[in-house]
Amino acid sequence: MRQSFRRFVLAALLVSASSLAAAAEAAPKVGLLLKGRSAFWTEVEKGAKDAAAKAGVELSIKAPMAETDIGVQVQMLNALAAQGAEAIIIAPSSKEALAVPLASLAVKGVKIVVIDTPIANKTASTFVGTDQHAAGAAAGRLLATLVDDAQEVALLRHTQSGGATGQREIGALGSFRAVHPKNVVHSDIYVSAEPGKETEKAQFLLSQYPNARAILASSTPGTLTMLKVLQGKNLAGKIKLVGFGFNLNPEVAAAIESGALSGWVAQLPREVGAKSVMAAHSLLKGETVPDHIYTDFVLVTKENLQEPKVQALLAR
């Protein structure tokens, strides 16, 4: 009888130890909440998945249909929290609207990693993304080489609530003004203010400011739309265009080679996704993580288009 009891106790201890070991080895749960489902966010997702697989992280991914679905993104944030996410990586559609919900989760101990667009308070444990101000400044310096002191310039902005694109615009205007303080710069047209009317907005800019000799488009949709409009009007290369995007594709490379596009500031979204997961994992292990983790960007021009590091972007 006593021997049976000892066996029972030993078995119970083994089960308990096994349960504790399993709990200790359970994959940390991380939620990834993107802004939308465009090609850029698909690339961020790929980078995040790769990093999660290597780190042994259980990654749950959500994204609204459009970047303007702020209310939907708040609902998805709450859903990730309800699913037990210990850390949440988020690209906020609105830095103001998401600030309070994120602060509420941070108080409960959820680690917050913000990507792409910083939020309006200091809730986040860290920010991961492109230094948009620096990227904008690089574009502005290039733009300054394309015009003289008397020529007009136009800025095709993204949206009035765009945090990342807004930082690009500030950086670009600052560096451009440092070279051309007196040039007229038109900056009142937003290409994505009304979904589906991007082409109309680009055409409107050209009709409103026919004397603009160079255009800076602060977003990927704005850049590609304006490129097509200029090509359609046989103005590509005559009106200089500098824009933003990610990686590199054959269409953009051909436009740079032909002179239709003077510059393309390429972000590296897979790097954003990978580094954000690594940061979340480190936070959950109690490690110290920098307040800002900046990812690279590449200013692509005709002069460096054939360089290996630029050509490598085509393979992504």
Side-chain angles (χ1 to χ4, degrees), residues 88-120:
I88 291 178
I89 302 164
I90 180 171
S93 295
S94 167
K95 61 182 181 180
E96 291 83 14
L98 273 296
V100 172
L102 287 172
S104 299
L105 292 178
V107 168
K108 296 176 183 177
V110 178
K111 304 299 183 183
I112 306 297
V113 177
V114 173
I115 61 175
D116 187 64
T117 303
I119 54 175

Side-chain angles (χ1 to χ4, degrees), residues 116-136:
D116 187 64
T117 303
I119 54 175
N121 58 25
K122 296 182 179 180
T123 296
S125 300
T126 187
F127 169 80
V128 179
T130 306
D131 185 339
Q132 301 291 354
H133 190 278

Side-chain angles (χ1 to χ4, degrees), residues 212-255:
R213 294 300 89 201
I215 297 170
L216 175 69
S218 65
S219 67
T220 307
T223 303
L224 298 181
T225 300
M226 182 55 77
L227 175 61
K228 290 180 180 178
V229 169
L230 290 173
Q231 289 172 329
K233 293 180 176 293
N234 199 30
L235 293 172
K238 298 174 184 177
I239 296 177
K240 305 300 182 182
L241 176 62
V242 176
F244 288 79
F246 63 94
N247 301 337
L248 193 61
N249 59 61
E251 176 190 359
V252 171

Side-chain angles (χ1 to χ4, degrees), residues 4-83:
S4 297
F5 178 73
R6 286 176 178 172
R7 288 174 181 170
F8 173 78
V9 171
L10 180 59
L13 289 172
L14 288 172
V15 170
S16 177
S18 177
S19 299
L20 289 172
E25 294 175 2
K29 294 183 177 181
V30 176
L32 173 62
L33 181 52
L34 303 171
K35 275 187 185 180
R37 301 183 182 181
S38 67
F40 178 87
W41 298 115
T42 298
E43 287 290 297
V44 172
E45 182 177 334
K46 288 177 181 177
K49 284 181 175 179
D50 288 344
K54 291 177 182 177
V57 168
E58 182 182 330
L59 187 65
S60 298
I61 303 170
K62 293 184 181 293
M65 290 299 296
E67 294 188 18
T68 53
D69 291 338
I70 298 171
V72 174
Q73 196 182 42
V74 172
Q75 294 173 5
M76 289 179 169
L77 175 65
N78 293 331
L80 286 172
Q83 291 171 8

Side-chain angles (χ1 to χ4, degrees), residues 159-201:
T159 64
Q160 291 177 306
S161 61
T165 53
Q167 284 299 306
R168 293 175 196 167
E169 292 157 8
I170 292 170
L173 286 172
S175 62
F176 179 82
R177 287 294 190 199
V179 180
H180 298 297
K182 297 182 180 180
N183 285 55
V184 173
V185 179
H186 306 287
S187 59
D188 59 338
I189 296 177
Y190 296 83
V191 70
S192 297
E194 299 175 71
K197 294 190 176 181
E198 289 83 1
T199 299
E200 184 179 318
K201 293 292 183 181

